[in-house]
Amino acid sequence: MLSGKKIVLGITGSIAAYKSVLLLRLLIKAGAEVKVVCTPSVNAFLGELTLSSLSGKSVFSGIWEENWSEHVELGLWADLMIVAPATANTLAKFSHGLCDNALTAVYLAARCPVMLAPAMDVDMYKHSRTQKNLKELESDGCIVLETGEGFLASGLEGVGRMLEPEELYEIIESHFRGSELSGKKILISAGPTQESLDPVRFISNHSSGKMGYALAKAAWYMGADVSLVSGPTQLSPPKGVTFTNVISAQDMFEAVTAEADEQDCIIMAAAVADYTPLTKADQKIKKSGDDMQIPLKRTKDILKSLGEKKPEGQILVGFAMETENELDNAQKKLFKKKMDFVVLNSLRDKGAGFKHDTNKVTIMDQAGNVEALPLKSKEELAGDILQKVIKLFAARKT
Ligand code: CTP
């Protein structure tokens, strides 16, 4: 998500500094380039080796060393500076323009947006002086983040606790949210469906939902208004998307069709059951005899029905999971279901398909283009699929 983004992570001397290590990891994992700047008192809480090992870059902490001019370079280099934790002391220095260490110097030299994540004891946080400093920093253009409430290292309880690394990460991600898909409504289906046999059993498949959730997250990140309709998965709905939880193929059909007409694009990434039990027993089915048959009936083909009444200009994308005659089968689905393009994954490819974090696909479109992509993370692939959607939107506009 944050690939290519340049972030200065400022750390000050607070017990909450351990959370910065986790934030640093999240940022690096998301592809950001992070340079860490510490105040001298951070040494009491964290070793620089931990921070330099995780960021892959040396930590800037001594303004009087030979790299003394780095504060200016860092201030110009960064797309974002976040100070987490920001102690009362550092906030006071920032608000008065003091410049007595590496971090305060970088702050004064920074031309990028600056986010501050305060961390201190409840009384220090509520003190009128701290509150005035925070207000002033806000009016100077800083993005002053809330604090959490709860157990504090002092043993007291209340406000002043720094936000959790995951919360900070999400705020940073939102900050960098793009606009390539802004104004576009995109519906994405994900996960398996479950077809009940009786109150305790169901028929389903191995879909994890990872591909659909990665698409929803990436579409939101590109600025789209995203609706995610998901069968049962172990995943948490991505932040910012409208989430509808469904169980059966019929539920998914109803949820998707209810919203379909207003969408600019629909991506059916769900592994929808093709058959469902003819009847659902009210009570648990008791065993009897050595074998049993379960009569099944066809479910509605959601994608096919969307293709049949597709509003003008809407982009329809489907997946095809195949184990043999892959290109041929996928092409048949592309035409039969009137998709704009189909994303084919073959279970014969290592690392592709259900449950993996990676996928290897071939994209085939109505114009006859066939593009075989290398093995990628599902997040990267989500980006590629959405780039293809963006190209189609652009082509339709012209
Ligand atoms: N699909 C759907 N409704 C169904 C079955 C599938 O909308 N009842 C969608 C899937 O979400 C996917 C595409 O159709 O985007 C192709 O699904 P797939 O399971 O590969 O193919 P099927 O059409 O079900 O054909 P088969 O199982 O015979 O290969």
Side-chain angles (χ1 to χ4, degrees):
M1 287 291 173
L2 299 181
S3 164
K5 300 288 183 251
K6 298 187 186 103
I7 299 175
V8 163
L9 171 60
I11 307 180
T12 67
S14 153
I15 187 68
Y18 77 93
K19 294 187 190 176
S20 321
V21 177
L22 302 171
L23 175 62
L24 174 58
R25 261 193 89 225
L26 290 171
L27 293 172
I28 295 290
K29 221 176 134 201
E33 217 183 312
V34 186
K35 292 191 180 177
V36 178
V37 183
C38 292
T39 58
S41 53
V42 170
N43 265 336
F45 300 93
L46 289 178
E48 279 194 10
L49 188 59
T50 307
L51 299 165
S52 59
S53 305
L54 283 173
S55 66
K57 297 182 187 336
S58 55
V59 173
F60 181 48
S61 57
I63 196 165
W64 313 124
E65 289 159 14
E66 74 247 26
N67 56 350
W68 66 273
S69 63
E70 208 169 330
H71 64 283
V72 178
E73 282 152 32
L74 281 174
L76 297 175
W77 170 84
D79 297 314
L80 174 74
M81 174 174 181
I82 175 161
V83 183
T87 55
N89 185 39
T90 292
L91 291 170
K93 287 182 184 178
F94 281 179
S95 93
H96 288 87
L98 296 184
C99 181
D100 63 347
N101 63 39
L103 185 63
T104 48
V106 173
Y107 170 71
L108 285 183
R111 291 193 188 168
C112 60
V114 178
M115 274 183 194
L116 304 169
M120 65 201 74
D121 198 56
V122 55
D123 297 308
M124 293 167 81
Y125 183 69
K126 283 186 173 169
H127 196 284
S128 63
R129 180 39 55 195
T130 305
Q131 287 302 317
K132 277 181 197 147
N133 288 338
L134 287 171
K135 284 217 169 65
E136 246 173 82
L137 287 165
E138 210 158 35
S139 69
D140 284 349
C142 292
I143 304 161
V144 177
L145 306 179
E146 304 273 288
T147 61
E149 202 171 337
F151 179 74
L152 300 164
S154 61
L156 297 175
E157 271 198 61
V159 286
R161 198 166 79 166
M162 187 174 87
L163 294 179
E164 296 305 314
E166 293 76 14
E167 293 173 305
L168 292 173
Y169 174 78
E170 284 196 350
I171 291 167
I172 293 170
E173 209 179 64
S174 303
H175 173 81
F176 284 117
R177 195 176 172 205
S179 58
E180 303 98 305
L181 285 171
S182 72
K184 298 290 184 203
K185 285 174 83 74
I186 301 195
L187 186 150
I188 293 156
S189 72
T193 61
Q194 288 180 356
E195 310 301 320
S196 288
L197 275 167
D198 67 14
V200 294
R201 302 179 181 99
F202 57 79
I203 300 173
S204 190
N205 58 62
H206 292 296
S207 170
S208 63
K210 283 178 185 168
M211 192 65 240
Y213 279 58
L215 278 162
K217 193 162 184 196
W220 172 83
Y221 190 62
M222 292 179 177
D225 179 355
V226 182
S227 175
L228 175 63
V229 177
S230 173
T233 73
Q234 301 293 316
L235 308 172
S236 311
K239 185 182 56 75
V241 312
T242 307
F243 184 71
T244 309
N245 200 9
V246 296
I247 306 288
S248 66
Q250 180 61 25
D251 296 341
M252 187 167 277
F253 175 81
E254 285 166 21
V256 170
T257 23
E259 293 184 52
D261 287 353
E262 68 208 49
Q263 304 300 323
D264 297 298
C265 170
I266 301 180
I267 306 179
M268 283 295 298
V272 188
D274 290 324
Y275 290 90
T276 190
L278 193 59
T279 54
K280 181 190 162 194
D282 289 336
Q283 305 300 331
K284 185 181 168 200
I285 301 168
K286 290 289 185 192
K287 59 181 165 296
S288 65
D290 287 341
D291 51 29
M292 79 178 282
Q293 274 81 43
I294 303 167
L296 302 172
K297 63 177 178 189
R298 282 285 288 270
T299 55
K300 291 191 184 106
D301 191 317
I302 307 170
L303 190 50
K304 188 159 172 280
S305 114
L306 293 172
E308 278 158 8
K309 42 186 191 235
K310 187 164 77 154
E312 215 188 309
Q314 186 182 76
I315 293 172
L316 201 53
V317 182
F319 277 72
M321 173 156 287
E322 306 295 340
T323 56
E324 56 176 352
N325 302 325
E326 289 89 342
L327 290 173
D328 215 30
N329 285 334
Q331 198 182 43
K332 281 188 188 131
K333 285 178 192 174
L334 170 73
F335 294 130
K336 192 170 127 200
K337 304 198 189 196
K338 299 192 172 71
M339 304 179 215
D340 289 279
F341 65 91
V342 62
V343 183
L344 156 70
N345 38 163
S346 166
L347 285 191
R348 287 200 283 187
D349 285 325
K350 228 173 140 211
F354 290 152
K355 298 235 158 106
H356 295 287
D357 289 327
T358 52
N359 209 350
K360 185 170 183 305
V361 307
T362 301
I363 296 180
M364 303 167 77
D365 66 19
Q366 286 284 350
N369 298 309
V370 178
E371 195 184 350
L373 300 176
L375 187 73
K376 290 174 182 240
S377 72
K378 286 186 173 169
E379 284 75 18
E380 271 179 283
L381 181 56
D384 290 350
I385 292 169
L386 291 167
Q387 285 305 332
K388 175 105 184 158
V389 169
I390 290 169
K391 269 194 203 143
L392 284 178
F393 278 138
R396 276 177 201 188
K397 221 166 140 190
T398 52

